[in-house]
C-alpha cells in the first residue's frame, strides 16, 4: 500500500506485565483488517540467546515458529491474532545481538576499531529491526521493546529507537508508550504521576512518545486525559484508554473504539479505512455465548502459572468457540496423581490432555492418568511428552514390558520404547539443538487422525530430542496402537492412536503453536467435540 515500510514502536512504562504484546497484536489486527500488510517484532532485553533454555517459570512458554526459532510467547499472540506465521526475524534478544557482534569482532570485521555499545551494539539492533522491513513485504511493522523504560538492560534498544526515529523521520516511525494509571482506593482517584515520570524517563533518552495507551481499572474521564496530554506532550486524542477486559480477544475492539488505529495512521500519514472485523467478531460472539461447559484436565508439571502452557490454553478457546462450548481447563499437577487417587482426581473430567514437558519429575502420574483414561474411554490428547508417556503406558500395560520407559527418564531401562533420536546422540549444547520447527508428516487413511485432518499431508511444529523407538513399533501395532502419522524421510512416528477408543491421540509435535482465532487447530476442535460427546453420553 505504501512504498516505504513504516514502524510503530511499543514501549512500556510504570510496570511490567501491562500487556504490550496484546496491545501490539490488537493494533496490528486493526491495521491488517483495513488492508495493511502488518507484522510484529519483539525485542527482548535479556542475555539468553533465545528463551529455549529458559524454564517456563522464568518467562512462560517457549513458542516455536515454522523456521524452528525458539521464541518469546508474545509471538504466539501475534500469530493467533494475525493468522500469519512469524519467524526468527520477529524475535531479537540481547544475547543474539551480542553473539553476532562478538562473532563479527572475532572475524576482524570491525577493522581494528574499539567495539562499543554505541555504535556497534545499537547498529546491530537497528539492522535487525530494519531487516524485517527490507524486502517490502510489509506496509507496517510493529516493534515491541520488552521490559520497562528505565531498565538498564533496555537502554541500547531505546537508543537504537532514538536514532531510527531521527533517521526515518516522524512520518515513518512513531512511538506508543503503554503505561499504568493506578487507582488509589483510599483517595478514590486515578493517578497520572507514574505515567508522567515514565514519559519523562523516555524523554531523557531522547524519545518522545507520540501516543499513550493507558492501562486502567476505571475509565479515564476527559479531565485526566487532558492532564496526561498536557504533561506528556501528546495530543489529547492520542491518550488512549485501555480499561481491563475479560478476554484478550476483546482488546482489538476496545482499541478500535478508542481510535488507536486512526491516530496511529494519521501520524504515519497513511489512509484510514474502516477495518473489517467480521470474522473476528463472529468468533467473539461464539466464544462469549457458549451453549454448554466441558471440563478438561491439563496434566503437567508447570501448573501454577498461566503462561507456561499459553498456546494450549488459547487453542482450547479457539476450539471451544467452534464447538460453542466453554472449555474449563483445570491444571493438575502430575506429581500428585497415583494409582490410588487417579479415579477421584479424574472421574469428573470430560477429557484429559497430557502436556509437553522435560525430565523425570511427575512422569509416573502422567502414565497413571493415561492408563485410567484409556481403560475408561475418556478422550485423551497427548502432546509431545504426553504422546511419549502414552507409548510408555501402552508398552507397560498392553505389551507387559514392565520397565518400559524413555531413556530421558531412565537411561538404563531394558525397554527404551522412547529413545534419543539418532542425530541427537552427539549433541552436548543445549540451546537451539532440539528437532525444531515445521516438519512434514504423512497421515494414514482410515485412522482417527485422518478423519480429523481430512488430508494425508500435514506440516506441524516440533520441539523434542526423543522419539518412539521403531524397534518396538511392530509389537505396539500388533497390540492395537496405531502409528497414524509418520515422517517419511526420517521414519519417525509423529502420531499414535488407540483402536477402539472414542478419542485417543498422541502427537510428537505441538499443534498448539498453529491454532489461531481464524484457523482453530483441527485436533483441538475434534478433541473438544469428543469431550462434549463424552459428557452427554
Ligand atoms: N522431553 C521430551 C523430548 O525431548 C518431550 C519434549 C516436549 O514435550 N516438548 O523429546
Amino acid at each position: 500500500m505504501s512504498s516505504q515500510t513504516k514502524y510503530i514502536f511499543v514501549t512500556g512504562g510504570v510496570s511490567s506485565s501491562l500487556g504490550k504484546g496484546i496491545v501490539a497484536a490488537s493494533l496490528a489486527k486493526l491495521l491488517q483488517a483495513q488492508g495493511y500488510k502488518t507484522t510484529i517484532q519483539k525485542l527482548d532485553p535479556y542475555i539468553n540467546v533465545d528463551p529455549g533454555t529458559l524454564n517456563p517459570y522464568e518467562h512462560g512458554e517457549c513458542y516455536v515458529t515454522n523456521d524452528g526459532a525458539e521464541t518469546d510467547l508474545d509471538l504466539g499472540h501475534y500469530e493467533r491474532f494475525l493468522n500469519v506465521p512469524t519467524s526468527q526475524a520477529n524475535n531479537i534478544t540481547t544475547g543474539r545481538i551480542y553473539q553476532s557482534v562478538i562473532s563479527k569482532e572475532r572475524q576482524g570485521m570491525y577493522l581494528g576499531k574499539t567495539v562499543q555499545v554505541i555504535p556497534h551494539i545499537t547498529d546491530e539492533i537497528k539492522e535487525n529491526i530494519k531487516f524485517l522491513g527490507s524486502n517490502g513485504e510489509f506496509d507496517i511493522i510493529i516493534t515491541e521493546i520488552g521490559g520497562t523504560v528505565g531498565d538498564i538492560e533496555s537502554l541500547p534498544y531505546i537508543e537504537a529507537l532514538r536514532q531510527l526515529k531521527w533517521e526515518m523521520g516522524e512520518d515513518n516511525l512513531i512511538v506508543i508508550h503503554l503505561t499504568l494509571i493506578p487507582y488509589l482506593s483510599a483517595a478514590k482517584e486515578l493517578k497520572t504521576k507514574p505515567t508522567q515520570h515514565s514519559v519523562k524517563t523516555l524523554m531523557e533518552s531522547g524519545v518522545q512518545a507520540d501516543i499513550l495507551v493507558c492501562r486502567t481499572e476505571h475509565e479515564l474521564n476527559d479531565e485526566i486525559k487532558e492532564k496526561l496530554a498536557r504533561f506528556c506532550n501528546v495530543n489529547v486524542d492520542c491518550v488512549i484508554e485501555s480499561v481491563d477486559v475479560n478476554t484478550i480477544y476483546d482488546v482489538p475492539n476496545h482499541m478500535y473504539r478508542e481510535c488507536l488505529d486512526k491516530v496511529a495512521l494519521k501520524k504515519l500519514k497513511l489512509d484510514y479505512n474502516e477495518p473489517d472485523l467480521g470474522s473476528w467478531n463472529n468468533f467473539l460472539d461464539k466464544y462469549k455465548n457458549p451453549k454448554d461447559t466441558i471440563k478438561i484436565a491439563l496434566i503437567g508439571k508447570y501448573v501454577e502459572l498461566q503462561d507456561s502452557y499459553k498456546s494450549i490454553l488459547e487453542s482450547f478457546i479457539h476450539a471451544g468457540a467452534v464447538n460453542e462450548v466453554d472449555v474449563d481447563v483445570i491444571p493438575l499437577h502430575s506429581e500428585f496423581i497415583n494409582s490410588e487417587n487417579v479415579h477421584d482426581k479424574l472421574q469428573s473430567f470430560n477429557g484429559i490432555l497430557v502436556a509437553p514437558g522435560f525430565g523425570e519429575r511427575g512422569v509416573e502420574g502422567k502414565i497413571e492418568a493415561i492408563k485410567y483414561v484409556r481403560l475408561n474411554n475418556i478422550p485423551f490428547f497427548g502432546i509431545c511428552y504426553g504422546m511419549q508417556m502414552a507409548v510408555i503406558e501402552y508398552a507397560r500395560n498392553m505389551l507387559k514390558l514392565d520397565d518400559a520407559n524413555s531413556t530421558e527418564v531412565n537411561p538404563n531401562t531394558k525397554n527404551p520404547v522412547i529413545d534419543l533420536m539418532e542425530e541427537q546422540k552427539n549433541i552436548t549444547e543445549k540451546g537451539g539443538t532440539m528437532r525444531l520447527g515445521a516438519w512434514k508428516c504423512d497421515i494414514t487413511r482410515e485412522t482417527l487422525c485422518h478423519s480429523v485432518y481430512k488430508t494425508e499431508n500435514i506440516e506441524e511444529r516440533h520441539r523434542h530430542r526423543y522419539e518412539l523407538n521403531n524397534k518396538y513399533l511392530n509389537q505396539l501395532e500388533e497390540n492395537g496402537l496405531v502409528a497414524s502419522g509418520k515422517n517419511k524421510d526420517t521414519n519417525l512416528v509423529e502420531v499414535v492412536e488407540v483402536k477402539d477408543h472414542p478419542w485417543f491421540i498422541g502427537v510428537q509435535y505441538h499443534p498448539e503453536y498453529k491454532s489461531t482465532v481464524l484457523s482453530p487447530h483441527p485436533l483441538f476442535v475434534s478433541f473438544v467435540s469428543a469431550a462434549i460427546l463424552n459428557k452427554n453420553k
Side-chain angles (χ1 to χ4, degrees):
M1 217 171 257
S2 65
S3 51
Q4 144 117 40
T5 301
K6 307 226 175 191
Y7 279 85
I8 301 175
F9 277 74
V10 181
T11 58
V14 179
S15 160
S16 58
S17 304
L18 292 181
K20 284 196 295 288
I22 300 299
V23 168
S26 299
L27 175 58
K29 183 78 224 167
L30 294 174
L31 300 173
Q32 183 197 50
Q34 45 189 292
Y36 289 105
K37 283 188 253 101
T38 311
T39 192
I40 317 182
Q41 184 176 44
K42 172 90 190 273
L43 312 180
D44 275 311
Y46 52 67
I47 296 169
N48 302 66
V49 172
D50 61 45
T53 54
L54 286 171
N55 182 322
Y57 280 118
E58 289 285 317
H59 212 68
E61 160 191 279
C62 169
Y63 186 77
V64 179
T65 57
N66 279 333
D67 64 347
E70 297 178 282
T71 70
D72 186 76
L73 59 76
D74 271 340
L75 269 75
H77 290 307
Y78 308 160
E79 291 203 14
R80 288 187 282 272
F81 274 56
L82 298 181
N83 202 28
V84 176
T86 55
S87 69
Q88 180 64 72
N90 295 76
N91 194 194
I92 301 161
T93 65
T94 296
R96 191 169 292 281
I97 295 291
Y98 271 84
Q99 193 180 46
S100 167
V101 168
I102 291 168
S103 125
K104 285 180 190 167
E105 185 274 332
R106 292 288 82 184
Q107 291 166 46
M109 286 166 75
Y110 295 113
L111 306 175
K113 289 272 183 216
T114 308
V115 181
Q116 296 180 296
V117 173
I118 305 171
H120 301 99
I121 294 296
T122 45
D123 279 354
E124 187 73 25
I125 293 172
K126 281 158 61 184
E127 255 169 55
N128 274 275
I129 291 170
K130 288 194 283 191
F131 174 73
L132 205 53
S134 58
N135 59 7
E137 198 187 328
F138 300 107
D139 302 313
I140 301 170
I141 295 175
I142 300 181
T143 301
E144 178 194 344
I145 302 183
T148 309
V149 295
D151 295 349
I152 292 176
E153 56 181 19
S154 32
L155 280 174
Y157 293 94
I158 303 290
E159 169 59 14
L161 161 58
R162 184 193 67 77
Q163 294 179 21
L164 281 172
K165 199 171 193 219
W166 177 251
E167 287 162 26
M168 290 186 182
E170 56 183 19
D171 293 351
N172 295 317
L173 189 158
I174 59 167
V175 179
I176 296 177
H177 190 56
L178 179 66
T179 77
L180 175 71
I181 311 290
Y183 180 75
L184 291 192
S185 44
K188 295 201 174 47
E189 255 185 273
L190 287 162
K191 290 295 184 190
T192 64
K193 194 74 81 191
T195 297
Q196 296 177 37
H197 281 297
S198 93
V199 170
K200 242 186 220 158
T201 307
L202 198 53
M203 276 168 86
E204 279 165 17
S205 304
V207 176
Q208 165 67 52
D210 297 291
I211 297 173
L212 300 180
V213 174
C214 306
R215 281 297 304 275
T216 170
E217 289 174 20
H218 300 270
E219 285 179 15
L220 305 181
N221 58 29
D222 288 348
E223 201 187 325
I224 292 206
K225 285 193 171 181
E226 276 156 23
K227 189 170 174 187
L228 282 164
R230 188 175 323 118
F231 277 104
C232 301
N233 285 350
V234 297
N235 302 329
V236 72
D237 64 347
C238 292
V239 180
I240 304 290
E241 167 197 295
S242 173
V243 74
D244 290 356
V245 285
N246 292 333
T247 158
I248 55 170
Y249 297 109
D250 266 337
V251 180
N253 280 316
H254 270 259
M255 293 299 105
Y256 167 74
R257 262 173 250 138
E258 282 285 304
C259 300
L260 175 60
D261 52 339
K262 211 178 241 176
V263 293
L265 288 169
K266 191 166 141 201
K267 292 226 166 260
L268 291 171
K269 304 264 182 320
L270 292 173
D271 296 333
Y272 175 79
N273 315 288
E274 196 54 28
D276 174 7
L277 290 171
S279 35
W280 184 269
N281 287 330
N282 280 344
F283 152 78
L284 268 178
D285 194 40
K286 285 191 176 170
Y287 172 42
K288 288 183 179 175
N289 298 295
K291 301 202 168 107
D292 198 3
T293 299
I294 54 158
K295 255 176 80 181
I296 302 287
L298 169 63
I299 301 183
K301 72 171 180 182
Y302 311 111
V303 295
E304 294 85 357
L305 279 183
Q306 280 282 321
D307 280 355
S308 307
Y309 300 113
K310 194 78 204 162
S311 295
I312 292 178
L313 298 178
E314 299 303 315
S315 302
F316 274 124
I317 291 179
H318 311 150
V322 176
N323 284 286
E324 296 182 64
V325 291
D326 172 37
V327 185
D328 188 9
V329 183
I330 297 170
L332 291 186
H333 208 308
S334 56
E335 240 185 318
F336 306 120
I337 299 176
N338 55 48
S339 58
E340 266 97 69
N341 64 19
V342 65
H343 175 75
D344 288 344
K345 281 196 185 275
L346 298 187
Q347 60 159 333
S348 67
F349 288 100
N350 310 119
I352 307 283
L353 186 145
V354 176
F358 295 84
E360 104 190 70
R361 192 156 68 90
V363 296
E364 290 303 324
K366 291 181 182 170
I367 294 168
E368 219 36 84
I370 297 169
K371 179 179 174 192
Y372 179 81
V373 296
R374 184 173 60 76
L375 296 177
N376 290 286
N377 289 328
I378 298 170
F380 165 76
F381 192 4
I383 298 184
C384 207
Y385 217 25
M387 171 267 199
Q388 296 175 356
M389 293 303 130
V391 173
I392 295 170
E393 188 278 319
Y394 212 81
R396 286 190 191 172
N397 296 311
M398 297 296 286
L399 276 54
K400 303 291 173 223
L401 304 172
D402 290 345
D403 72 333
N405 217 328
S406 164
T407 48
E408 178 172 357
V409 180
N410 176 7
N412 303 318
T413 176
K414 287 200 193 67
N415 287 296
V417 291
I418 304 292
D419 199 7
L420 203 56
M421 283 179 279
E422 205 44 50
E423 65 272 25
Q424 287 284 332
K425 290 192 174 151
N426 296 320
I427 294 177
T428 50
E429 268 199 20
K430 288 277 179 263
T433 55
M434 284 187 245
R435 179 175 182 240
L436 289 165
W439 291 84
K440 288 202 173 92
C441 170
D442 288 9
I443 307 287
T444 316
R445 283 185 158 272
E446 283 163 37
T447 58
L448 173 60
C449 192
H450 188 266
S451 77
V452 170
Y453 279 101
K454 300 186 175 60
T455 168
E456 281 165 62
N457 308 104
I458 58 162
E459 251 184 47
E460 293 280 5
R461 301 182 195 173
H462 295 251
R463 183 170 187 252
H464 64 120
R465 291 187 206 283
Y466 294 80
E467 59 165 323
L468 189 152
N469 184 345
N470 277 325
K471 279 185 211 138
Y472 291 88
L473 187 56
N474 277 344
Q475 229 180 319
L476 287 162
E477 294 215 286
E478 279 159 15
N479 285 280
L481 192 79
V482 181
S484 51
K486 269 191 194 166
N487 179 299
K488 252 212 250 132
D489 306 322
T490 56
N491 218 18
L492 294 182
V493 174
E494 309 279 30
V495 188
V496 295
E497 55 188 71
V498 168
K499 265 194 208 138
D500 307 323
H501 186 284
W503 209 101
F504 189 108
I505 291 188
V507 290
Q508 183 58 78
Y509 48 80
H510 292 263
E512 71 274 23
Y513 294 144
K514 276 180 77 170
S515 185
T516 71
V517 165
L518 298 187
S519 174
H521 197 286
L523 280 170
F524 279 89
V525 174
S526 172
F527 176 60
V528 166
S529 91
I532 298 171
L533 277 180
N534 180 42
K535 181 180 176 182
N536 297 333
K537 82 171 179 244

